[in-house]
Amino acid sequence: MYEQAVHPTNNVARGQGGGVVAEGLGKRFGDLWALRDLDLHVAPGTVLGLLGHNGAGKTTAIRILTTLSQPTEGHATVAGFDVVRSASAVRSRIGVAAQQATVDGLLSARLNLEMVGRLHRMPKAQARLRADELLERLDLTEAANRLVKTFSGGMRRRLDLAASLVAAPEVLFLDEPTTGLDPRSRGDLWQMLLDLVREGTTVILTTQYLEEADRLADDIVVLDHGRAVAHGTPDELKSRIGDERVDVKVASPSELVPAALALRPFVGNEPSFDEEALVVTASVRQGVRIIDIVRALDEAGIDAIDLNRRQATLDDVFLTLTSGSPATPEASA
């Protein structure tokens, strides 16, 4: 058991598990399995990143873990409570910030948070105190009495996150938390989430910003067509596909395949193609010199506009391990 340090406002007894555990979790709609054989072990006070294309199963998993949907197979516990048998206990211990802000635009920021507190059965004075604390923490104090409909997208997103934190949840579920935010607001939100995790909150995060997962997640699960296709820390996943990558930008689409063939002696996997950017990307074997790649491209008559050697990123992991990775030019023709 661990102590929640965000704020001692949730007076419901805590579960025995603290984090999130799922074993063989699956969900079927008719003949279609939206999720299958998902195993999760998320320790208290850590961040799990769930990555995957649209339709990969991320939302289905989140809906089951937040008690909005029941699994067809398997079981899961959140904060030590079974999501089916003890759904009410789970709901009292979690916070959820959906992709679309759910705050009421016709209320002020303060009244939105006070209303959430009252729904959690806080006394009126305690709900107001908690609202003021969160408004200050998310830099919204000056706008506390403004109608939310006048807020910018970033301000609404911060208020929506504040609403999910009113009851000091043990486990926080975030669905695309920084969608639509400018880089500065995104960085501020990242820092606040890291502070919450240091204080003991467990976070499950879905995101399309892979830099976000790299920055925040202690552990990552990559989903593809309802199944987990990879699991590990960001560094482990990047090592799995090769630590270094080379990007070759060519002058025309007709040079993509010849450039990939020229790279073949130096790379450790099949190259991927970005036909819009005219870039071929592949992992580079250890000990390969960049000058040797340049010479091979020149001998093949490839007009390489740019060549970049870099460390692998989670974008590379995502494109390599999921079936939504770019097709070869021949396959897409």
Side-chain angles (χ1 to χ4, degrees):
M1 192 186 314
Y2 76 99
E3 181 179 353
Q4 171 61 268
V6 175
H7 197 277
T9 53
N10 190 343
N11 56 11
V12 181
R14 294 197 177 275
Q16 299 300 309
V20 175
V21 175
E23 295 181 346
L25 208 60
K27 181 68 176 181
R28 183 175 62 194
F29 297 94
D31 294 330
L32 174 65
W33 285 93
L35 189 71
R36 198 76 190 267
D37 297 327
L38 178 64
D39 294 331
L40 299 176
H41 295 274
V42 189
T46 64
V47 181
L48 172 72
L50 280 180
L51 306 184
H53 293 285
N54 292 334
K58 303 188 304 295
T59 298
T60 300
I62 295 297
R63 286 181 60 83
I64 292 173
L65 295 174
T66 56
T67 77
L68 295 176
S69 180
Q70 291 194 6
T72 305
E73 63 181 16
H75 65 274
T77 60
V78 174
F81 293 92
D82 188 276
V83 297
V84 175
R85 295 194 302 269
S86 304
S88 179
V90 170
R91 287 194 290 269
S92 70
R93 290 163 174 82
I94 65 173
V96 182
Q99 186 172 349
Q100 299 298 324
T102 56
V103 289
D104 191 332
L106 297 179
L107 295 177
S108 69
R110 177 178 281 112
L111 286 177
N112 263 283
L113 298 185
E114 288 183 16
M115 177 180 67
V116 173
R118 296 292 283 159
L119 289 172
H120 281 278
R121 300 180 181 179
M122 290 182 184
K124 187 173 182 179
Q126 187 181 20
R128 173 173 279 268
L129 182 65
R130 180 61 168 159
D132 287 343
E133 177 187 339
L134 288 169
L135 289 167
E136 181 177 359
R137 184 165 193 170
L138 279 87
D139 195 25
L140 290 170
T141 300
E142 292 185 5
N145 296 314
R146 281 173 47 192
L147 294 183
V148 172
K149 69 179 182 179
T150 67
F151 280 17
S152 67
M155 294 171 68
R156 277 178 175 255
R157 201 67 185 126
R158 295 204 303 275
L159 182 62
D160 200 50
L161 181 60
S164 72
L165 295 172
V166 167
E170 292 185 58
V171 183
L172 181 61
F173 293 89
L174 302 175
D175 186 12
E176 309 285 350
T178 59
T179 297
L181 296 189
D182 60 76
R184 181 170 184 175
S185 296
R186 184 177 299 132
D188 290 344
L189 187 55
W190 287 354
Q191 187 56 55
M192 198 196 73
L193 291 175
L194 289 172
D195 291 342
L196 288 171
V197 172
R198 277 193 292 269
E199 293 168 352
T201 304
T202 304
V203 176
I204 293 187
L205 165 79
T206 73
T207 180
Q208 296 292 342
Y209 296 111
L210 299 187
E211 178 193 2
E212 184 165 79
D214 206 353
R215 169 80 177 271
L216 299 177
D218 300 293
D219 209 10
I220 288 174
V221 171
V222 182
L223 296 174
D224 189 34
H225 288 86
R227 292 182 181 270
V229 295
H231 172 217
T233 68
D235 286 343
E236 286 171 348
L237 293 181
K238 284 181 279 190
S239 295
R240 174 174 167 178
I241 65 165
D243 288 330
E244 289 192 330
R245 317 292 280 181
V246 63
D247 300 320
V248 178
K249 183 175 178 63
V250 297
S252 67
S254 63
E255 291 187 311
L256 287 170
V257 172
L261 293 174
L263 288 174
R264 189 161 284 172
F266 311 104
V267 302
N269 64 3
E270 286 298 315
S272 62
F273 299 83
D274 185 334
E275 294 184 71
E276 184 175 346
L278 297 179
V279 172
V280 182
T281 299
S283 66
V284 179
R285 294 203 307 270
Q286 189 172 4
V288 169
R289 299 184 306 167
I290 200 73
I291 188 63
D292 294 329
I293 295 177
V294 172
R295 287 170 177 162
L297 290 168
D298 187 56
E299 290 173 2
I302 305 300
D303 183 12
I305 296 174
D306 190 21
L307 190 149
N308 178 43
R309 186 171 185 166
R310 58 178 174 79
Q311 293 297 308
T313 67
L314 282 183
D315 294 73
D316 299 312
V317 172
F318 189 78
L319 293 174
T320 301
L321 298 180
T322 64
S323 59
S325 57
T328 63
E330 299 101 318
S332 61

